[in-house]
Amino acid sequence: MTIPSAACDAGLRRKNKGTAFRPRFANAPCAEILLVFLLLVIPPAPAQADSDWDARALARALSPPLGLPPVTAEEKALLNRDLIQLGRRLFFDPRLSHKGDMSCATCHQSDQAYTQNALERSVGANGEQIRRNAPTVINAKYYERLFNDGRARSLETQFLSPLLAPEEMNNGTAETVVAKLAAIPRYVKAFRKVFGGAPDMGRLGTALGAFQRTLISGNSRFDRWKFGSDPK
């Protein structure tokens, strides 16, 4: 199945065959055009958003725009506004890092199409550039493999690497992350409301994954030509 995404031309559409995903437009002139399109389609998610943002995100995820596959029954049963809201708050919270100064959004910046365009490589926990730049998470729910080297298989598990890596968020152990969440009353309450229990790594991954599953983009000019009725 072709993985749809907003595109400048048909050459941007490819099938993920289990190899590391690298967009063919990475060094092409249309990259800037694509970035502008993504920013227009997906409004940046503020760290402190009203409930309407999460409701709109849920609606977007359950009714994908033209060019994207229909939502699966499993995903439809998983997603709800409270889960998305919890995942959004976690995504933007720097307290999930060792020094309390980095969040997922530090590298996956919402105003830059959930990547980082100002730097060649992302900056990690020690103020030094890491090996690679952060790939966009827009439409990442459709990838069979994640990260530039394809080492992770789902949004619900890939978060472990940046949270624990010494050069990134540098938490050291999963127990450290769970202890941080358990010490924040607002998160204890939110996890209990959403999951019926205390924070743990599995629930953290589910919440972060749910938020990222709402970050989708379609209905590009190519989508309308390929899947719609626009002859142009």
Side-chain angles (χ1 to χ4, degrees):
M1 179 183 69
T2 300
I3 297 177
S5 64
C8 296
D9 56 43
L12 304 189
R13 295 178 178 277
R14 58 171 291 177
K15 186 175 182 180
N16 185 336
K17 297 181 179 179
T19 58
F21 180 81
R22 179 173 177 79
R24 294 174 63 184
F25 58 82
N27 299 311
C30 68
E32 291 82 2
I33 299 174
L34 175 65
L35 171 61
V36 171
F37 176 83
L38 292 175
L39 290 175
L40 290 174
V41 170
I42 304 178
Q48 300 294 330
D50 57 42
S51 60
D52 287 345
W53 193 96
D54 301 301
R56 291 193 301 271
L58 175 61
R60 181 171 64 245
L62 296 181
S63 300
L66 182 68
L68 299 182
V71 64
T72 65
E74 180 181 8
E75 191 172 40
K76 188 178 294 187
L78 167 71
L79 295 177
N80 60 71
R81 190 190 66 81
D82 290 333
L83 178 61
I84 292 167
Q85 182 183 71
L86 174 58
R88 173 176 56 77
R89 288 175 176 168
L90 291 164
F91 190 89
F92 285 90
D93 197 334
R95 290 176 292 183
L96 267 65
S97 65
H98 173 63
K99 294 182 179 179
D101 58 356
M102 287 186 67
S103 69
C104 302
T106 300
C107 295
H108 300 280
Q109 297 182 10
S110 63
D111 60 350
Q112 296 185 35
Y114 291 91
T115 180
Q116 197 168 29
N117 297 293
L119 299 174
E120 181 180 6
R121 290 178 293 158
S122 300
V123 175
N126 301 315
E128 299 178 358
Q129 289 188 322
I130 59 178
R131 292 177 59 197
R132 303 181 178 98
N133 201 344
T136 180
V137 295
I138 293 177
N139 286 348
K141 61 179 275 186
Y142 298 110
Y143 301 167
E144 294 177 8
R145 296 289 183 94
L146 298 164
F147 292 108
N148 287 319
D149 57 11
R151 65 184 183 273
R153 292 181 176 271
S154 77
L155 288 171
E156 287 71 26
T157 59
Q158 63 81 29
F159 76 102
L160 285 167
S161 180
L163 273 179
L164 304 183
E167 69 275 16
E168 296 189 50
M169 297 175 81
N170 193 28
N171 281 292
T173 67
E175 290 76 14
T176 300
V177 179
V178 173
K180 287 182 179 181
L181 294 173
I184 301 173
R186 184 179 188 183
Y187 279 138
V188 172
K189 181 179 179 180
F191 272 83
R192 186 175 296 116
K193 178 180 179 180
V194 173
F195 295 106
D200 62 29
M201 294 302 280
R203 290 165 178 168
L204 172 59
T206 298
L208 286 170
F211 167 68
Q212 292 175 85
R213 287 179 181 280
T214 71
L215 304 178
I216 56 177
S217 176
N219 197 30
S220 67
R221 290 184 62 185
F222 177 81
D223 291 312
R224 293 191 290 274
W225 172 80
K226 177 69 174 179
F227 302 105
S229 57
D230 188 345
K232 299 180 182 180

